[in-house]
Amino acid sequence: IVTVVPRSDFMGAIQDNVYQTVLLCAIALMSTVGFGLWLAYKILKPIKALNKASQDFAADDLPFVTQPTAIQEVESLRQTFQHMTQRLDESFQDLKASEQRFATLLENVPIGIGVLNPKGQVVWANSMFKQLHGQDTLESDPSRLSQTYRLYRANTDDLYPIDQLPAMRALRGETVRVDDIEIEAANTGKRFPVEVNAAPVRDPS
């Protein structure tokens, strides 16, 4: 028995199956890509929000606020950041309050107080310090301290040597008290003796 099947009928069925297979593969690929993009967006969105909030917090744009997310790992990270930034914010506020109290105390004591950085530049001074020296601006050139603030050796017309100034000696690690310095008043030109105490402020290193 010989059965003859026309080639067009036989290949037509195969061709139809190929088209359906290609179409189904294309649909599956598009669905997979679409789902992947959606999933990546859902994951990246809270991470980008967390990154933005971290940058704002670093720029002192408080408070640190982010939205909860259904992704457990990202939500755990968000909560950890939230807790950490709250603790940091509380520490910053305590530090600012402490600095404010300290600055208020130094500003109101009836003693001239100046602060120098390790380079020998005057970076802070209270009102009494400025009043004693008749100087509202702070001298940033250590080599001109004696000249700017009119510091003389007692009973002489010699400017006090820069390297012997109590502040310079304190920057070399000494705790110093001297009473042989005279300050020339800016308004009268008269000199008056002062006792100067200087001490280094150290950190752990």
Side-chain angles (χ1 to χ4, degrees), residues 124-175:
W124 184 89
N126 67 354
S127 57
M128 181 58 71
F129 180 96
K130 296 175 182 177
Q131 181 181 339
L132 285 172
H133 295 287
Q135 192 80 14
D136 288 333
T137 58
L138 302 180
E139 179 56 67
S140 60
D141 184 357
S143 66
R144 294 178 52 84
L145 289 177
S146 293
Q147 181 179 353
T148 299
Y149 297 117
R150 298 178 303 281
L151 305 175
Y152 294 86
R153 278 197 183 277
N155 302 316
T156 73
D157 291 329
D158 300 329
L159 289 172
Y160 210 93
I162 298 297
D163 62 336
Q164 293 302 312
L165 284 174
M168 296 296 105
R169 293 171 61 184
L171 289 176
R172 295 196 295 268
E174 300 181 51
T175 298

Side-chain angles (χ1 to χ4, degrees), residues 33-78:
V33 171
F35 178 75
L37 292 175
W38 175 82
L39 185 61
Y41 172 77
K42 297 294 287 185
I43 294 176
L44 288 177
K45 183 178 179 181
I47 293 178
K48 290 175 67 175
L50 188 62
N51 182 49
K52 177 66 166 56
S54 300
Q55 292 176 352
D56 292 342
F57 181 78
D60 292 333
D61 186 7
L62 304 176
F64 180 92
V65 178
T66 55
Q67 297 298 322
T69 176
I71 303 174
Q72 183 175 356
E73 291 77 6
V74 179
E75 176 63 15
S76 177
L77 180 63
R78 186 194 70 83

